[in-house]
């Protein structure tokens, strides 16, 4: 209990509590007053989009709201039709054929046709933004309701990609599309004031069920400002943090959404041999390059205790990048075992020879730094709680906050408190495939490169069935002998999946939430069309 109080005080000291005097999106309400417009609401989130153009990455990994997609994710993460009425794959795994519904219209009244789909995917591929379409050889429209994709090789994550790309109108696409979009989704764009608000209204001509919420105002504010807005009754839904969510506010409930939004250490697996990346940044660490060090840390951490102490219980133990997803291997889970952690170190030749509480080997102390982005109280708290626990096995971790720019230069030679989590198994490929190691994109700064893992990942990517793909994603994690899991090569020490937390005004139903990926803002909105006032 004492350590919990200390951690809470540290977190409180690190928070900059902002006071909000006005919302900018509408008049204030008393927090206890549940009277409201029957078809309007105000939502506060912390992350503002950079664009509403799907070809530039908008909606990647979630429902794009303003645009429709060919297919989308169901609640159980299975694929369901959206613009598509059916689809098929040829026996070679190279040609996907989609048949489109014929009643979809853009909000300017023009029909959605196969040529718009072709234009969208060709534009997205040329943009080379966050949508990876390198495997798409060509896309064609033989008629208005048929789209044919030809791939350069079988790609099992193709449907995941399709579910992330909103369809844009060829006739109304231009340089300003990202700030003034036309789409065929459940909502119609009205207004975007950067750093303030985004206003959407229900698309009354939507081919699906028209949203009950006729006007949605999304305001952008950090969690402290949103907390103040909730206390003032100025918003109906507000993203919040674990350090704030224990506060009861009259007229609101706290909605806890399970996520695959993980936090853990990346641990450099290469020794320091004086090498640098293509950008000139140092590679390797003489402590974390020892597998027994990495595994010992993994087994020494009590994840339940970290969740309780650092995050007020608003987290669950994490064992992989995709806990809870259908392609996850349940065998990656491990039990906390401090004695086993100490044995791993002793068997590896690590001992506290000078009695300072830190084990060493060949003159090298088991001491290193974990970096986190300054201002991120969650990552700081998780890192500090884990560092405190591993002291017991003789490993000293210094937790250091720094800028993202500095972190990007030092992450190849230092451990980093990272976060990932996606509704697409392709993330595992990016995190561990050898060709992606030591690049400037944050995916594999630890330098993990293993032929056996590459084999499983390649097989997963090129599988012709979902079942075959899932089996290989699981084998890449753990095949009974080795893998990316903590009981295997352990390039990551996974610690917690953080819960996504929201204050929700009483009487507002935000529907059944899917398992959220990384980032608590946009995933909240992926089922916005299902939200409604119940009283």
């Amino acid at each position: 209990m004492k350590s919990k109080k200390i951690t809470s005080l540290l977190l409180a000291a690190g928070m900059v509590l902002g006071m909000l005097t006005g919302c900018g999106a509408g008049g204030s309400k008393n927090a206890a007053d549940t009277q409201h417009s029957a078809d309007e609401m105000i939502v506060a989130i912390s992350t503002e989009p950079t664009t509403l153009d799907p070809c530039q990455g908008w909606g990647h990994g979630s429902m794009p709201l303003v645009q429709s997609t060919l297919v989308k994710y169901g609640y159980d993460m299975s694929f369901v039709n959206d613009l598509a009425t059916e689809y098929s794959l040829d026996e070679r795994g190279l040609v996907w054929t989609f048949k489109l519904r014929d009643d979809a219209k853009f909000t300017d009244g023009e029909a959605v046709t196969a040529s718009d789909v072709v234009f969208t995917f060709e534009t997205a591929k040329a943009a080379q933004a966050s949508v990876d379409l390198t495997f798409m050889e060509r896309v064609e429209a033989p008629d208005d309701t048929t789209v044919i994709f030809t791939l350069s090789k079988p790609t099992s994550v193709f449907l995941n990609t399709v579910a992330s790309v909103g369809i844009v109108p060829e006739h109304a696409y231009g340089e300003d599309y990202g700030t003034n979009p036309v789409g065929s989704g459940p909502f119609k764009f009205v207004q975007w004031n950067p750093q303030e608000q985004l206003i959407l209204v229900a698309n009354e001509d939507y081919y699906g069920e028209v949203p009950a919420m006729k006007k949605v105002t999304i305001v952008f504010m950090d969690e402290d400002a949103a907390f103040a807005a909730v206390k003032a009754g100025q918003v109906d839904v507000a993203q919040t943090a674990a350090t704030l969510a224990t506060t009861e506010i009259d007229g609101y409930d706290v909605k806890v959404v399970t996520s695959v939004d993980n936090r853990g250490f990346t641990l450099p697996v290469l020794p320091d041999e004086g090498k640098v990346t293509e950008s000139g940044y140092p590679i390797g660490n003489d402590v974390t390059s020892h597998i027994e060090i990495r595994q010992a840390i993994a087994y020494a951490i009590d994840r339940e205790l970290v969740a309780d102490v650092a995050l007020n219980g608003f987290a669950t133990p994490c064992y992989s990048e995709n806990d809870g997803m259908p392609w996850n291997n349940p065998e990656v889970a491990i039990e906390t075992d401090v004695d086993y952690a100490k044995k791993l170190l002793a068997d590896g030749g690590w001992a506290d020879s000078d009695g300072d509480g830190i084990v060493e080997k060949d003159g090298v102390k088991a001491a290193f730094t974990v970096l986190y982005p300054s201002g991120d109280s969650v990552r700081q708290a998780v890192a500090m709680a884990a560092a405190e626990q591993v002291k017991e096995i003789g490993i000293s971790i210094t937790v250091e906050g720094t800028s993202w720019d500095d972190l990007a230069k030092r992450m190849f030679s230092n451990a980093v408190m990272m976060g990932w989590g996606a509704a697409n198994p392709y993330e595992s490929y990016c995190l561990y495939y050898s060709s992606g190691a030591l690049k400037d994109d944050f995916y594999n700064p630890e330098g993990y490169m293993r032929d056996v893992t590459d084999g499983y990942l390649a097989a997963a990517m090129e599988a012709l069935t979902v079942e075959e793909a899932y089996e290989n994603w699981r084998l890449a994690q753990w095949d009974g002998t080795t893998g990316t899991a903590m009981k295997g090569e352990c390039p990551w020490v996974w610690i917690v999946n953080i819960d996504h937390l929201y204050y929700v005004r009483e009487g507002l139903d935000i529907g059944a939430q899917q398992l959220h990926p990384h980032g608590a803002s946009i995933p909240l909105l992926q089922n916005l069309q299902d939200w409604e006032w119940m009283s």
Side-chain angles (χ1 to χ4, degrees), residues 324-388:
M325 290 298 183
W327 52 87
N328 182 61
N329 187 340
E331 294 183 16
V332 300
I334 60 174
E335 297 288 339
T336 302
D337 192 334
V338 174
D339 290 337
Y340 180 61
K342 291 178 178 179
K343 183 178 186 300
L344 284 170
L345 294 176
D347 290 348
W350 297 85
D352 181 11
S353 57
D354 58 9
D356 65 352
I358 304 173
V359 297
E360 60 182 71
K361 177 181 178 180
D362 299 329
V364 176
K365 291 280 188 181
F368 60 93
T369 297
V370 169
L371 305 174
Y372 73 94
S374 297
D376 191 323
S377 62
V378 169
R379 297 192 197 214
Q380 179 190 29
V382 173
M384 292 180 68
E388 184 67 28

Side-chain angles (χ1 to χ4, degrees), residues 133-412:
L133 289 168
T134 54
F135 49 79
M136 187 184 78
E137 191 171 282
R138 62 182 180 274
V139 56
E140 304 162 290
D143 57 55
D144 283 349
T145 58
T146 305
V147 180
I148 300 175
F149 295 88
T150 301
L151 310 184
S152 57
K153 60 181 179 180
T155 307
S156 65
V157 298
F158 180 68
L159 283 181
N160 301 87
T161 301
V162 166
S164 297
V165 181
I167 304 305
V168 304
E170 183 176 10
H171 67 275
Y173 187 85
E175 291 184 359
D176 67 341
Y177 183 85
T179 56
N180 189 26
V182 172
S184 57
F187 288 93
K188 180 179 180 180
F189 172 82
V190 175
Q191 180 180 338
W192 185 4
N193 304 108
Q195 300 180 10
E196 293 182 11
Q197 64 181 10
L198 172 67
I199 300 176
L200 305 174
V201 296
N203 178 5
E204 298 295 340
D205 294 323
Y206 183 53
Y207 51 83
E209 185 175 349
V210 176
M213 213 64 67
K214 301 307 178 185
K215 180 181 179 181
V216 179
T217 302
I218 302 169
V219 295
F220 309 112
M221 54 182 67
D222 64 34
E223 289 163 344
D224 299 311
F227 183 70
V230 171
K231 293 175 70 175
Q234 294 172 322
V235 296
D236 299 305
V237 180
Q239 179 184 338
T240 193
T243 51
L244 301 172
T246 54
T247 302
E248 293 186 6
I249 299 178
D250 189 28
Y252 291 85
D253 297 315
V254 174
K255 174 76 171 181
V256 180
V257 180
T258 303
S259 85
V260 68
D261 192 352
N262 45 63
R263 297 294 183 271
F265 297 146
T266 59
L267 298 171
V269 300
L270 301 174
D272 181 359
E273 297 177 337
K275 297 179 180 179
V276 298
T277 67
E278 291 182 1
S279 300
Y281 305 137
I283 294 172
N285 185 293
D286 286 335
V287 178
T288 62
S289 58
H290 293 275
I291 189 172
E292 65 271 15
I293 289 283
R294 303 194 299 270
Q295 290 182 336
I297 294 170
Y299 279 97
I301 294 174
D302 184 333
R303 290 161 179 78
E304 293 278 6
L305 186 59
V306 171
D308 181 49
V309 170
L311 300 174
N312 289 326
F314 293 120
T316 55
C318 179
Y319 305 104
S320 76
E321 71 275 15
N322 48 41
D323 288 353
M325 290 298 183
W327 52 87
N328 182 61
N329 187 340
E331 294 183 16
V332 300
I334 60 174
E335 297 288 339
T336 302
D337 192 334
V338 174
D339 290 337
Y340 180 61
K342 291 178 178 179
K343 183 178 186 300
L344 284 170
L345 294 176
D347 290 348
W350 297 85
D352 181 11
S353 57
D354 58 9
D356 65 352
I358 304 173
V359 297
E360 60 182 71
K361 177 181 178 180
D362 299 329
V364 176
K365 291 280 188 181
F368 60 93
T369 297
V370 169
L371 305 174
Y372 73 94
S374 297
D376 191 323
S377 62
V378 169
R379 297 192 197 214
Q380 179 190 29
V382 173
M384 292 180 68
E388 184 67 28
Q389 290 185 2
V390 301
K391 285 182 180 179
E392 185 177 351
I393 63 171
I395 295 178
S396 176
I397 296 177
T398 299
V399 177
E400 177 187 343
T402 188
S403 68
W404 276 109
D405 287 342
D406 182 59
L407 190 151
K409 299 173 183 177
R410 299 169 59 192
M411 64 183 178
F412 309 102

Side-chain angles (χ1 to χ4, degrees), residues 31-80:
D33 184 3
T34 58
Q35 298 298 313
H36 47 68
S37 298
D39 56 4
E40 297 184 9
M41 67 175 173
I42 300 173
V43 183
I45 59 176
S46 63
T47 302
E48 181 176 12
T50 57
T51 180
L52 298 180
D53 181 355
C55 299
Q56 298 293 333
W58 163 244
H60 183 54
S62 61
M63 177 70 177
L65 298 177
V66 176
Q67 297 88 5
S68 305
T69 52
L70 292 178
V71 298
K72 58 185 179 181
Y73 292 109
Y75 177 76
D76 62 354
M77 304 307 297
S78 62
F79 295 107
V80 296

